[in-house]
């Protein structure tokens, strides 16, 4: 089962960042809307996370005064529907239908906000989730294919790299997670600003054959949109 706590802090950060934008644009917090998509099948850990996340975000929406909806109906992914929301979330997977993908890309290019958890960034050659959506994996996320991961879940210390105007903790002690490495080096992408990376003192990360002895886990901001890959 994946820990929810280290993910929640990032969602709260995202909400706070967008809340600042709302204030500057004189938009009422109650008008802020979030729509989360999920599949919630096959993998028990992913199913568990979706249930925990939905319960928590429902509670958070009451405290932070925003509207939160979640759905496993990916047919709702049309541009007209997405345009009603300030943030769209992928809790566990990605859209597969070409029309849904086109609608999501248009939504992002028109200024929509997005957040993805864990498996939402996954793609691997000769798997169910091929890298057959280049705009999403190579351009939008910039991460490319999955490369490796740690197992079992392990904790890590994340170090702040960004020097932007937002007040962020210098270090975050993340609860145990399964950490992913990606084919593309995000540091080489000029359009990506890295917020946090695994502090070098955390390596080697994990145990056994899937330990990660070098590399990094990046939380990124690109083109003015917060994008967090977990």
């Amino acid at each position: 089962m994946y820990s929810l706590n280290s993910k929640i802090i990032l969602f709260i950060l995202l909400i706070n960042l967008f809340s600042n934008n709302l204030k500057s644009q004189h938009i009422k917090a109650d008008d802020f809307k979030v729509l989360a998509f999920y599949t919630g099948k096959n993998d028990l850990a992913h199913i568990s996370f979706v249930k925990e996340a939905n319960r928590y975000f429902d509670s958070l929406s009451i405290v932070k005064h925003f509207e939160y909806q979640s759905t496993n109906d990916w047919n709702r992914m049309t541009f007209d529907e997405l345009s009603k929301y300030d943030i769209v979330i992928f809790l566990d997977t990605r859209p597969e239908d070409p029309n849904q993908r086109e609608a999501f890309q248009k939504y992002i290019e028109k200024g929509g906000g997005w957040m993805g958890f864990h498996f939402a960034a996954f793609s691997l050659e000769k798997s169910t989730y091929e890298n057959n959506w280049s705009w999403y994996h190579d351009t939008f996320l910039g991460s490319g294919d999955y490369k490796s991961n740690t197992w079992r879940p392990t904790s890590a210390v994340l170090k702040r790299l960004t020097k932007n105007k937002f007040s962020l903790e210098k270090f975050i002690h993340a609860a145990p997670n399964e950490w992913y490495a990606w084919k593309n080096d995000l540091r080489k992408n000029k359009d990506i600003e890295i917020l946090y990376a695994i502090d070098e003192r955390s390596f080697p990360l994990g145990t056994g054959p899937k330990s990660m002895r070098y590399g990094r886990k990046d939380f990124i901001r690109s083109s003015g949109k917060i994008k967090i890959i977990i």
Side-chain angles (χ1 to χ4, degrees):
M1 183 180 297
Y2 302 112
S3 169
L4 189 61
N5 293 336
S6 60
K7 299 173 173 59
I8 295 305
I9 188 173
L10 297 170
F11 184 83
I12 293 174
L13 170 63
L14 182 66
I15 291 297
N16 287 337
L17 293 176
F18 274 91
S19 295
N20 290 336
N21 289 336
L22 291 180
K23 292 177 182 178
S24 65
Q25 298 174 35
H26 306 290
I27 300 175
K28 293 190 299 182
D30 289 339
D31 293 333
F32 191 76
K33 297 182 179 181
V34 179
L35 177 61
F37 288 89
Y38 67 90
T39 300
K41 294 181 179 179
N42 301 321
D43 191 294
L44 293 179
H46 292 181
I47 294 172
S48 176
F49 170 72
V50 166
K51 291 179 179 179
E52 291 181 54
N54 278 326
R55 284 197 299 268
Y56 185 87
F57 294 155
D58 275 335
S59 300
L60 185 65
S61 68
I62 296 173
V63 176
K64 293 290 184 178
H65 305 289
F66 65 92
E67 179 182 321
Y68 178 76
Q69 293 186 33
S70 63
T71 180
N72 61 358
D73 181 6
W74 291 83
N75 289 322
R76 287 183 62 182
M77 188 165 288
T78 65
F79 178 72
D80 288 343
E81 178 72 2
L82 299 182
S83 296
K84 302 174 184 177
Y85 298 89
D86 298 281
I87 298 178
V88 171
I89 298 177
F90 295 171
L91 286 176
D92 58 350
T93 49
R94 66 187 190 186
E96 299 298 328
D97 182 271
N99 292 327
Q100 295 169 6
R101 291 180 172 185
E102 182 180 353
F104 177 73
Q105 180 176 346
K106 183 178 179 181
Y107 164 76
I108 292 298
E109 292 175 343
K110 293 287 186 179
W114 175 85
M115 185 176 186
F117 286 103
H118 191 60
F119 202 75
F122 183 87
S123 69
L124 181 65
E125 185 180 353
K126 297 180 181 179
S127 76
T128 304
Y129 298 91
E130 292 268 4
N131 189 344
N132 56 10
W133 191 9
S134 181
W135 173 84
Y136 178 75
H137 291 287
D138 300 315
T139 302
F140 178 55
L141 298 181
S143 54
D145 276 352
Y146 158 88
K147 184 178 180 181
S148 64
N149 68 292
T150 61
W151 189 259
R152 295 185 176 271
T154 183
S155 59
V157 176
L158 308 179
K159 182 179 180 179
R160 186 190 68 214
L161 298 185
T162 182
K163 296 181 180 179
N164 66 30
K165 63 182 180 180
F166 301 113
S167 177
L168 303 173
E169 296 292 333
K170 186 173 182 180
F171 293 97
I172 295 177
H173 293 265
N177 273 279
E178 177 185 358
W179 302 94
Y180 274 31
W182 307 95
K183 180 179 178 181
N184 296 345
D185 186 346
L186 302 181
R187 294 167 294 180
K188 296 180 180 180
N189 191 326
K190 62 180 178 60
D191 294 323
I192 290 175
E193 179 184 0
I194 298 174
L195 299 184
Y196 284 90
I198 291 177
D199 186 72
E200 291 80 1
R201 292 172 294 177
S202 295
F203 293 106
L205 199 61
T207 59
K210 284 198 171 184
S211 64
M212 198 176 290
R213 301 193 176 276
Y214 61 93
R216 62 204 301 156
K217 174 67 181 182
D218 295 327
F219 303 114
I220 62 178
R221 185 162 74 109
S222 174
S223 302
K225 298 293 181 290
I226 297 297
K227 298 195 291 189
I228 301 171
I229 310 171
I230 298 179

